Amino acid sequence: MTAKTKPKKHAAVARCECGGKLRSVTLKNFDFTNWAGVPSKLEAVPGYRCDSCGGETLPGVVVNTLLRVMSLCVIRLPHRLPAELARFIRRVLQITQQELADRMGIARETVAQWECGEKDISPQHDLILRILLLERQFGEHFMPTALLTATMTSLAAVKAAPPPKRRTPLRVSASDYRQVTKHQQLQSLN
């Protein structure tokens, strides 16, 4: 009797829109603005580069992880939230202005005023918004002690400094990215 062998399956090659092959690379100073909706630069993240046109992109799992890392960066900012980051938080929470207002016990117009820059967010509302984001991104999971300590130190004092007047990109460090991905890998083992 002869044993039947199954044909070997070849891994599908990821293709770019131009038809070129996507190669795994570490992307340096990647502009993440289109995904995040706020000006943001990534120091070094795993991604793909087309061997034909040179286009760069990120796998979905990396995008989701980066949004968590960005959330942590936003939570740890040393000043009150500017308009675009207040809007970023609401979008990460996946709620409308009205739903956020209801959750915070304020008028929807107040949320709209923060998000369009007509009015600075108060220190108390800033703190509430950051805590909602922290709970959303890390509340269901154990957070590594080093991240928790740094984050709680940032949150310990209500931010009295007003938001910056000049837009600066949010920089996501490679070490923050590694810490969150390491934490996610440990969580998946439990």
Side-chain angles (χ1 to χ4, degrees):
M1 251 187 182
T2 8
K4 292 184 181 180
T5 58
K6 293 182 181 179
K8 290 184 181 180
K9 292 183 181 179
H10 296 284
V13 176
R15 296 268 180 203
C16 179
E17 292 173 353
C18 76
K21 290 182 186 176
L22 292 175
R23 306 276 182 203
S24 293
V25 295
T26 297
L27 302 172
K28 300 196 184 308
N29 292 318
F30 185 80
D31 186 353
F32 193 60
T33 303
N34 289 337
W35 279 276
V38 295
S40 46
K41 295 280 185 183
L42 311 174
E43 284 183 6
V45 292
Y48 298 115
R49 183 174 296 121
C50 177
D51 63 2
S52 179
C53 71
E56 297 175 336
T57 191
L58 301 169
V61 68
V62 172
V63 171
N64 292 336
T65 300
L66 287 168
L67 289 172
R68 283 185 99 188
V69 174
M70 284 185 66
S71 295
L72 188 60
C73 291
V74 168
I75 290 167
R76 291 166 39 184
L77 285 173
H79 51 73
R80 280 188 277 154
L81 298 167
E84 71 233 6
L85 294 180
R87 187 173 44 255
F88 169 79
I89 290 176
R90 182 180 57 78
R91 288 179 176 164
V92 168
L93 295 172
Q94 298 178 344
I95 57 177
T96 65
Q97 288 181 344
Q98 186 63 57
E99 290 168 329
L100 179 60
D102 292 345
R103 207 179 225 187
M104 294 179 73
I106 58 177
R108 187 205 59 79
E109 292 77 16
T110 302
V111 175
Q113 288 171 339
W114 302 336
E115 290 187 3
C116 69
E118 287 178 19
K119 180 179 176 184
D120 286 348
I121 189 170
S122 73
Q124 296 80 6
H125 290 150
D126 180 285
L127 180 63
I128 292 168
L129 205 50
R130 289 177 199 234
I131 290 172
L132 288 171
L133 181 60
L134 180 64
E135 191 275 329
R136 163 79 172 161
Q137 294 293 47
F138 299 97
E140 298 173 8
H141 310 291
F142 174 75
M143 197 171 175
T145 305
L147 283 178
L148 183 60
T149 301
T151 303
M152 292 313 290
T153 299
S154 296
L155 287 175
V158 174
K159 308 300 178 207
K165 297 297 178 197
R166 195 178 61 129
R167 278 180 85 177
T168 57
L170 191 60
R171 297 210 60 85
V172 176
S173 73
S175 64
D176 279 343
Y177 179 79
R178 282 191 302 273
Q179 271 191 306
V180 171
T181 54
K182 181 179 177 183
H183 169 66
Q184 287 178 327
Q185 290 168 348
L186 291 174
Q187 283 302 112
S188 67
L189 296 175
N190 293 335

